Amino acid sequence: MNTRSLLWGMLLAGIGLGVAPGALWAAAPELPEGLGAPASDTEEPALPAGLGGEAGAEQTTDRPAAAALPFRLRGFWEARGGTRLGDDPYERDLSIAETRLQLEAEKYFQGATLRLTGDFLYDDLDDDRSVDLESGEGAFDLREASLVFSPSADTDVKLGRQILTWGTGDLVFINDLFPKDWVSFFIGRDVEYLKAPSDALKVSAFSSWANLDLVYTPRFDADRFIDGRRLSFFNTGQGRLTGRNAVVLADRPADAFEDDEWAARLYRNLGAYEVALYGYDGFWKSPAGADPASGRARFPPLSVLGASLRGPVGPGIGNVELGYYDSRADRDGDDPTVRNSELRLLLGYEQEIARNLTLGLQYYLERMGEFEAYRRALPPGAPVRDENRHVLTQRLTWLTHSQNLEWSLFLFYSPSDRDAYLRPRVGYQVDDHLSVEAGGNLFFGAREETFFGQFQDNNNLYLGVRYGF
């Protein structure tokens, strides 16, 4: 049975069992917070730290002006500016210069909730301000347009544009194959913008035995990947650093209901531990291949099977997650234009080491399959990747001034690539509405073709201010 057949089976089982009252799923489950509420109150499971980004706005929804509307309205205004720390011959000196107004409207109908979230954006560094809802470029970015309802007491359905995430990693993703916005992440936008929206159907079915999430995306949603327009990078096709002088052109799978994606998560609690199984069938989310004739980037087909375990370890919380990436277009590993299959492993641990001071540590392994075939197939002079890529991460978070001032330092370090990425940040919640922050994205590396080393010319510092309402 291949991955897609397995996902089909899980979907049919989930819908059949979850929708039918009195069936296996009918027993009232013990659900994660927010998942068992009526549709009017249904909220997504909590996102990983920093990805929610809307807590400030939650505090002000009872203001008289908002209460007078026939729907719930909240949002924020934000301005951000940043600059590169050195000269990049292929990019502008400014790394970010933009202001945005986000409005989120929510209306509850009988048994359903409609939610619309959109960002009105002025980006001074954008060459083309025409709106592209797929890539999020232009003067408007539709973040969410979803309808949530519960066809039975044990089933939730969410249809439309939505932000999706799962997995156990902290800024490291193995089984979360939902789209990311790596440009926003590296230029200094709020970390919530690391998650790009999906146009999908999500069905969640709950039972006393296990819970099941199924996500169907009828047309492939790619990452908002680094293509050279805002960040320079190592272009393997040209064998050197490039940026705005050689913007990546990509052929995306774009046929609805043919170039589709399936994702599934089956999870349950075993005592204090949550165990989960994952499946994905679709495409590499960022370009992982190239057309030899045209040179255009491609998104080869990909299937992923994985698992995770998260729970208390000593005084802290530990997690382990793994996934096997089946690069279906090059299972033999001898096609240098397509990324090989990989085994990925993540080990993590987080603990409060002093009052309001939290330390998180992770070890990540990326092991290439069919390495010898890959090496034999490489053209002469091409950079050779290591068979095993090791990455260590450390997150240090310190809250002071009644927890209104947050100091954060996130470090990625790869001993195999001999490169690193440092994300310092300080944020201050001035009052219920106003917050300010400053931070940076600093890259180090011994070679320009490694994952973090290729971004060394993009080192930047940024400032931001946000007013929530």
Side-chain angles (χ1 to χ4, degrees):
M1 179 181 290
N2 58 31
T3 304
R4 177 151 301 202
S5 299
L6 178 62
L7 293 171
W8 266 106
M10 295 173 74
L11 172 67
L12 295 175
I15 293 177
L17 296 176
V19 172
L24 178 61
W25 300 94
E30 184 176 345
L31 302 180
E33 182 178 357
L35 289 178
S40 59
D41 298 321
T42 299
E43 298 288 349
E44 286 295 295
L47 298 177
L51 293 182
E54 299 172 353
E58 294 274 2
Q59 303 172 18
T60 60
T61 54
D62 294 333
R63 290 174 60 83
L69 296 172
F71 51 87
R72 191 166 76 165
L73 179 66
R74 57 188 176 184
F76 63 81
W77 165 82
E78 182 182 82
R80 284 181 180 263
T83 183
R84 281 183 168 75
L85 299 181
D87 179 59
D88 186 334
Y90 307 114
E91 303 291 345
R92 298 183 177 95
D93 291 337
L94 293 179
S95 53
I96 185 171
E98 64 186 34
T99 181
R100 72 175 64 224
L101 173 67
Q102 182 178 99
L103 296 177
E104 178 183 334
E106 186 177 85
K107 176 67 176 177
Y108 172 66
F109 302 94
Q110 284 291 337
T113 299
L114 177 66
R115 186 176 299 139
L116 297 172
T117 303
D119 285 15
F120 298 88
L121 176 68
Y122 174 77
D123 183 350
D124 196 53
L125 303 181
D126 198 352
D127 295 324
D128 182 4
R129 295 189 173 86
S130 56
V131 174
D132 184 339
L133 296 181
E134 187 73 21
S135 65
E137 298 171 346
F140 181 71
D141 184 11
L142 182 63
R143 303 289 297 173
E144 182 166 359
S146 67
L147 182 68
V148 181
F149 58 96
S150 299
S152 76
D154 307 301
T155 307
D156 287 344
V157 175
K158 190 171 187 177
L159 175 65
R161 176 158 291 201
Q162 54 194 292
I163 302 293
L164 295 164
T165 189
W166 60 40
T168 65
D170 184 3
L171 299 183
V172 177
F173 306 97
I174 293 181
N175 292 294
D176 179 345
L177 276 297
F178 304 113
K180 317 294 186 304
D181 185 343
W182 296 110
V183 176
S184 293
F185 187 63
F186 288 139
I187 65 173
R189 290 187 179 125
D190 191 285
V191 72
E192 70 181 275
Y193 288 95
L194 171 58
K195 297 295 296 187
S198 300
D199 298 315
L201 166 68
K202 179 182 179 184
V203 179
S204 300
F206 311 104
S207 80
S208 58
W209 179 75
N211 304 317
L212 177 64
D213 289 332
L214 287 160
V215 177
Y216 177 65
T217 305
R219 191 176 71 166
F220 172 61
D221 282 323
D223 287 342
R224 296 175 177 180
F225 58 92
I226 295 167
D227 62 4
R229 285 178 294 175
R230 297 295 291 267
L231 296 161
S232 58
F233 70 104
F234 185 80
N235 188 321
T236 54
Q238 299 197 18
R240 63 186 180 91
L241 295 177
T242 62
R244 290 162 52 82
N245 60 321
V247 174
V248 173
L249 301 176
D251 291 327
R252 299 174 186 238
D255 292 333
F257 303 107
E258 291 186 9
D259 298 322
D260 52 5
E261 299 174 272
W262 289 91
R265 176 178 65 157
L266 183 68
Y267 64 101
R268 67 163 297 167
N269 289 331
L270 296 174
Y273 297 87
E274 182 186 85
V275 59
L277 302 174
Y278 306 88
Y280 170 81
D281 189 89
F283 305 87
W284 288 90
K285 304 298 287 187
S286 290
D291 187 317
S294 67
R296 295 173 68 94
R298 294 193 297 138
F299 301 81
L302 174 71
S303 297
V304 179
L305 292 174
S308 70
L309 177 67
R310 177 181 170 86
V313 176
I317 301 293
N319 63 284
V320 57
E321 182 171 345
L322 57 85
Y324 177 71
Y325 281 50
D326 179 12
S327 187
R328 304 197 308 270
D330 185 27
R331 283 175 168 151
D332 294 332
D334 56 0
D335 184 350
T337 66
V338 177
R339 188 162 179 162
N340 282 21
S341 299
E342 295 172 357
L343 177 66
R344 299 187 179 189
L345 169 68
L346 176 69
L347 303 174
Y349 181 76
E350 181 181 274
Q351 179 186 337
E352 186 176 60
I353 56 177
R355 185 177 182 184
N356 293 326
L357 180 62
T358 303
L359 174 66
L361 300 171
Q362 296 181 118
Y363 165 73
Y364 171 71
L365 169 66
E366 196 174 276
R367 181 178 176 82
M368 182 192 300
E370 305 298 338
F371 179 73
E372 291 302 323
Y374 153 81
R375 195 165 60 177
R376 287 194 299 270
L378 279 178
V384 182
R385 292 176 52 194
D386 291 331
E387 182 177 13
N388 296 307
R389 177 172 175 252
H390 305 274
V391 179
L392 303 171
T393 81
Q394 171 205 280
R395 178 194 285 274
L396 196 61
T397 306
W398 184 31
L399 301 176
T400 64
H401 296 75
S402 302
Q403 299 188 341
N404 289 317
L405 184 60
E406 178 180 302
W407 307 83
S408 174
L409 185 64
F410 202 114
L411 170 66
F412 296 81
Y413 168 67
S414 173
S416 52
D417 284 352
R418 292 187 296 162
D419 62 2
Y421 170 43
L422 190 62
R423 283 176 60 87
R425 176 188 174 275
V426 56
Y428 182 58
Q429 189 72 38
V430 180
D431 55 31
D432 287 345
H433 304 281
L434 184 64
S435 62
V436 294
E437 72 169 304
N441 294 279
L442 307 174
F443 304 91
F444 309 89
R447 306 194 310 270
E448 63 181 15
E449 72 272 17
T450 60
F451 188 85
F452 295 124
Q454 64 182 317
F455 299 127
Q456 288 184 74
D457 290 341
N458 298 288
N459 288 347
N460 63 81
L461 297 176
Y462 65 85
L463 296 171
V465 57
R466 175 180 290 197
Y467 184 87
F469 55 88

